[in-house]
Amino acid sequence: MSVLKMIYFAHGLAYPTLHQKLIKDPFYAWGWGPVEKKTYDTFKCYIANPITSPSGKTDDELENIEKDSKLTSFLDSLLPLAKINPFKLSEKSHEEGAPWAVTQPYDAIDDKIIEVYFNAKYGKK
């Protein structure tokens, strides 16, 4: 659950911070909050246990991320999210007016809604 929440918040916060889309695949309005299904499918075998192996991303993909110092700096800045209880992050993703809250259960969350919400909530004022 922590990984799914971190990915969602990283994706949303990338809009006001990096001014770009971070995750290409859609998020869905599942019961505990927004879920990117490919990540869920990759790590669901761990249930609530620690993840002990990489996701299978190729070395080329990881090297491309590492070459982008702005992206790596942004991702590093989000590491404190890993220390937050995932249920607290779930509460945050369920706030009134949040993309998950305005999407029908189990539907894809319109990425434009995520972009507008995060820009309005966390962008420069």
Side-chain angles (χ1 to χ4, degrees):
M1 190 166 158
S2 292
V3 170
L4 297 171
K5 299 301 168 224
M6 290 175 63
I7 288 171
Y8 171 72
F9 281 102
H11 177 70
L13 291 167
Y15 285 114
T17 306
L18 301 174
H19 310 289
Q20 69 182 51
K21 183 175 183 167
L22 189 63
I23 307 295
K24 64 181 176 184
D25 295 311
F27 287 84
Y28 293 88
W30 286 12
W32 288 105
V35 172
E36 190 276 315
K37 190 167 174 349
K38 284 185 182 179
T39 302
Y40 171 81
D41 287 341
T42 298
F43 295 113
K44 69 182 176 185
C45 62
Y46 291 99
I47 308 167
N49 299 308
I51 295 170
T52 58
S53 66
S55 68
K57 290 285 183 191
T58 66
D59 289 336
D60 290 341
E61 288 173 308
L62 294 174
E63 283 179 23
N64 287 337
I65 291 170
E66 290 170 352
K67 288 178 187 174
D68 186 338
S69 62
K70 190 175 178 182
L71 177 58
T72 55
S73 177
F74 168 72
L75 293 173
D76 286 346
S77 76
L78 299 177
L79 287 175
L81 288 176
K83 295 184 189 307
I84 299 173
N85 182 305
F87 291 100
K88 289 284 183 197
L89 292 176
S90 185
E91 287 175 17
K92 193 97 177 130
S93 70
H94 287 63
E95 291 177 341
E96 186 175 332
W100 175 90
V102 300
T103 302
Q104 291 295 313
Y106 299 98
D107 282 356
I109 300 170
D110 185 324
D111 203 59
K112 191 66 178 171
I113 293 172
I114 296 172
E115 179 181 6
V116 168
Y117 177 81
F118 276 85
N119 277 327
K121 186 156 180 132
Y122 300 102
K124 291 181 181 176
K125 309 255 181 206

